[in-house]
Amino acid sequence: MSLYKDALAMEEGSLQGRLVLFSMTTLTIYDLCLHIHKDVAFVWRRGPNIINVLYVINRYLWPVSFIMQDILVFPVNDLVCAYLPYFVNILRMILYIHWSVFSAFRTYALSHRNHLLSTTVFVLGAAFIAPNLYMLIGPGARTANSPPPSNCTTVGNFDPVLLHMRYVHTTFFSQAY
């Protein structure tokens, strides 16, 4: 009986996670539709510069990431399952690097052009890249197209040291922001 309750609780948690994911996607796309005229006026009509590039990455790659993640919620064929999780993870790494670059620029501006401090902020913000790449493309990393409700999942390299590093980095930066 306990195994049944555990399986039921896991499925309810999975359903709640899916609903949150769909809600994030819907709200983000709705926000894009509401403010597209402002984006055109203030971003697209200007010449390209680093701030506009950072804005476009932050504004438009998150919905793409959410949509790709939404696709993985449903049963997909083996070809889609073989490649789409990698694209989602690489896209998320690009978005996280974006945060590191933005934080470094902000630190540079607020610290009266202190190169050492802004470089330190960037390096510490981008420190997650090595463990994430190892989990993504290292030996043993693969995707599994499981039957519903699991569907397509990424099975990575579960090295306890790297998982601990990833956990410490994630919890530290989620509390810092």
Side-chain angles (χ1 to χ4, degrees):
M1 190 71 171
S2 174
L3 183 63
Y4 174 74
K5 287 182 181 179
D6 291 343
L8 187 61
M10 189 170 70
E11 180 58 31
E12 286 176 2
S14 175
L15 176 63
Q16 291 171 352
R18 290 176 187 175
L19 292 176
V20 167
L21 184 64
F22 290 137
S23 300
M24 286 188 325
T25 305
T26 304
L27 287 173
T28 305
I29 292 173
Y30 178 70
D31 181 60
L32 287 174
C33 292
L34 285 179
H35 299 287
I36 191 72
H37 67 283
K38 291 179 183 177
D39 289 348
V40 169
F42 297 118
V43 177
W44 294 107
R45 289 191 181 157
R46 289 180 161 186
N49 60 31
I50 189 69
I51 301 302
N52 286 351
V53 170
L54 288 175
Y55 177 80
V56 167
I57 287 172
N58 190 47
R59 184 79 171 153
Y60 297 106
L61 287 186
W62 276 114
V64 171
S65 170
F66 291 155
I67 290 169
M68 292 168 77
Q69 192 67 37
D70 286 342
I71 291 170
L72 292 175
V73 168
F74 299 104
V76 294
N77 64 22
D78 291 335
L79 183 64
V80 172
C81 184
Y83 295 106
L84 195 58
Y86 293 112
F87 290 133
V88 170
N89 288 327
I90 289 170
L91 186 60
R92 293 239 170 107
M93 278 191 253
I94 290 169
L95 289 165
Y96 295 147
I97 289 171
H98 159 266
W99 288 345
S100 299
V101 170
F102 179 79
S103 297
F105 274 127
R106 185 158 174 84
T107 304
Y108 181 75
L110 293 176
S111 66
H112 304 291
R113 299 182 178 191
N114 187 338
H115 292 285
L116 180 63
L117 188 59
S118 61
T119 303
T120 304
V121 166
F122 174 75
V123 168
L124 290 175
F128 69 93
I129 293 173
N132 281 1
L133 280 177
Y134 180 77
M135 295 283 288
L136 185 63
I137 61 174
R142 58 185 166 80
T143 58
N145 201 359
S146 305
S150 298
N151 299 323
C152 186
T153 56
T154 304
V155 181
N157 299 301
F158 295 105
D159 184 6
V161 174
L162 288 177
L163 285 177
H164 179 69
M165 286 172 45
R166 190 173 182 185
Y167 171 76
V168 168
H169 181 270
T170 304
T171 55
F172 175 75
F173 282 106
S174 66
Q175 292 172 359
Y177 294 113

